């Protein structure tokens, strides 16, 4: 098949490279987002998919939106059998959905119809889901509502972060796309999504992941893991943002000092080798933190230089 590939971040790269390596397909163009300003000097750099496309000498279309303008016209002019989308980050307008002969297929990292939207993995972990997955579905006008060709499920580990789960799915779900293209060539019809069990996974902003220290330890742990590595769950310490990037809930049999066991919500308590946060239920161990203006550190290392006393609290 002659293919258009649309994607932007690192998680889209495994699918792009797999399609390029497959002798049955030809990626004739890549659609991605424009170069972004990054780093201290805010210099413009191509996104991961654009970089790989350029290295492979594939024509790259960079567009903030393809609803109109040059990006739209460039996509509309392509002679392709199908378009494959993995985390492009923009909506495809209705008039372009029928441009490829077999339409557009989207690799989405959730078990549809649960978690339609921009942040399915993050929202699944935050909600305490025990499993996640990936689906390849046909793009339609409504958000992530198209019929599904193939899907897979993976368990969510008790310490897994959103970044780790996305990396895993990016690697393991790529064969779904290859198999779906075989299905399309064979005339297999996708299965409509259920109208029940629909949940939405909107994009996550820093304001969405402020920690309520009176919440239960398990709820805070879910929030931290779902927001890690970005944007990072946070609270305020001395009126400055304090990020918590990795945590551990206490297990049956864990023994902690009385100063830890009796910690009040928001109170930070350090031992020789550990840092704990008092919550609305039981103490939560802080494994990885980032104080304002500082690098990411283990909780214990940060605490050794932070001069923690009984009044040190997150709010």
């Amino acid at each position: 098949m002659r293919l258009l590939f649309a994607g932007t971040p690192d998680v889209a790269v495994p699918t792009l490279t797999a399609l390029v390596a497959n002798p049955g397909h030809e990626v004739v163009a890549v659609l991605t987002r424009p170069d972004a300003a990054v780093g201290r000097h805010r210099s413009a750099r191509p996104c991961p998919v654009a970089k790989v496309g350029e290295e492979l000498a594939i024509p790259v279309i960079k567009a903030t939106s393809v609803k109109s303008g040059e990006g739209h016209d460039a996509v509309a002019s392509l002679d392709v059998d199908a378009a494959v989308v993995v985390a492009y980050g923009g909506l495809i307008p209705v008039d372009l959905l029928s441009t490829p002969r077999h339409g557009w297929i989207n690799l989405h990292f959730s078990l549809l119809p649960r978690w339609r939207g921009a942040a399915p993995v993050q929202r699944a972990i935050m909600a305490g889901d025990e499993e996640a997955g990936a689906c390849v579905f046909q793009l339609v006008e409504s958000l992530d509502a198209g019929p599904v060709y193939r899907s897979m499920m993976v368990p969510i580990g008790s310490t897994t972060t959103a970044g780790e789960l996305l990396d895993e799915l990016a690697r393991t779900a790529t064969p779904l796309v290859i198999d779906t293209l075989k299905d399309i060539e064979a005339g297999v019809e996708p299965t409509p999504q259920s109208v029940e069990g629909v949940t939405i996974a909107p994009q996550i902003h820093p304001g969405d992941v402020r920690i309520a220290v009176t919440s239960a330890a398990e709820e805070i742990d879910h929030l931290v893991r779902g927001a890690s590595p970005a944007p990072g769950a946070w609270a305020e310490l001395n009126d400055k943002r304090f990020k918590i990037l990795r945590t551990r809930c206490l297990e049956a049999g864990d023994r902690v000092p009385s100063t830890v066991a009796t910690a009040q919500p928001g109170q930070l308590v350090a031992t020789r080798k550990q840092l704990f946060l008092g919550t609305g239920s039981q103490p939560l161990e802080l494994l990885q933190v980032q104080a304002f203006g500082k690098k990411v550190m283990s909780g214990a290392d940060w605490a050794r230089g932070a001069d923690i006393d009984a009044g040190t609290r997150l709010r």
Side-chain angles (χ1 to χ4, degrees):
M1 281 190 178
R2 288 172 56 84
L3 303 173
L4 164 66
F5 182 84
T8 299
D10 284 315
V11 294
V13 169
T15 302
L16 172 58
T17 55
L19 290 171
V20 171
N22 191 298
H25 304 300
E26 178 189 3
V27 180
V28 300
V30 166
L31 170 64
T32 190
R33 309 285 280 182
D35 295 353
V38 297
R40 180 177 299 177
H41 301 292
R42 308 305 293 166
S43 56
R45 296 182 189 175
C47 69
V49 165
K51 184 177 180 181
V52 171
E54 291 164 356
E55 290 172 349
L56 295 172
I58 302 171
V60 176
I61 303 167
K62 298 180 181 182
T64 302
S65 170
V66 292
K67 292 182 179 179
S68 60
E70 294 182 3
H72 172 279
D73 295 345
V75 172
S77 68
L78 294 172
D79 177 22
V80 293
D81 296 305
V84 177
V85 184
V86 185
Y88 165 56
L91 297 176
I92 308 302
V94 175
D95 68 297
L96 290 183
L97 291 179
S98 59
T99 298
R101 278 177 282 279
H102 296 291
W104 298 63
I105 60 171
N106 190 161
L107 174 58
H108 182 76
F109 298 122
S110 85
L111 297 171
L112 292 171
R114 187 163 177 78
W115 302 126
R116 295 176 180 176
V121 168
Q122 295 90 332
R123 296 291 180 182
I125 293 176
M126 288 178 184
D129 289 3
E130 295 183 352
E131 60 186 29
C135 294
V136 179
F137 69 94
Q138 187 88 34
L139 274 190
V140 296
E141 183 176 1
S142 298
L143 178 66
D144 297 338
V148 175
Y149 281 99
R150 287 180 176 261
S151 64
M152 61 173 285
M153 185 275 288
V154 296
I156 299 177
S158 61
T159 62
T160 301
T161 66
E164 292 166 346
L165 184 53
L166 273 170
D167 287 345
E168 177 186 354
L169 289 171
R171 296 190 310 271
T172 59
T174 289
L176 294 179
V177 175
I178 305 298
D179 291 339
T180 294
L181 292 172
K182 292 178 182 177
D183 290 343
I184 291 172
E185 290 180 305
V188 175
E189 293 294 326
T191 302
Q193 292 185 37
S194 172
V195 297
E196 299 180 354
V198 176
T199 56
I200 305 301
Q203 184 176 356
I204 294 173
H205 301 283
D208 301 328
V209 292
R210 180 167 186 169
I211 296 168
V213 295
T214 55
S215 297
E218 187 177 55
E219 293 178 12
I220 296 174
D221 176 67
H222 291 159
L223 181 68
V224 167
R225 292 191 291 116
S228 181
W234 61 278
E236 285 190 351
L237 177 63
N238 299 325
D239 298 324
K240 293 183 178 179
R241 189 167 295 189
F242 183 88
K243 290 186 178 182
I244 301 175
L245 301 175
R246 191 176 290 273
T247 52
R248 186 183 74 88
C249 290
L250 295 180
E251 301 176 355
D254 282 347
R255 300 179 66 181
V256 296
S258 59
T259 53
V260 172
T262 59
Q264 297 301 302
Q267 184 180 358
L268 292 174
V269 180
T271 66
R272 289 179 59 189
K273 296 183 178 180
Q274 294 169 289
L275 175 66
F276 293 90
L277 171 69
T279 74
S281 58
Q282 62 179 355
L284 182 67
E285 185 177 0
L286 307 188
L287 300 177
Q288 194 175 62
V289 302
Q290 184 177 21
F292 183 81
K294 304 294 184 180
K295 65 180 182 179
V296 175
M297 305 176 67
S298 74
D301 286 345
W302 173 82
R304 275 190 282 271
D307 192 24
I308 291 177
D309 58 30
T312 305
R313 293 176 180 266
L314 297 183
R315 303 184 186 281

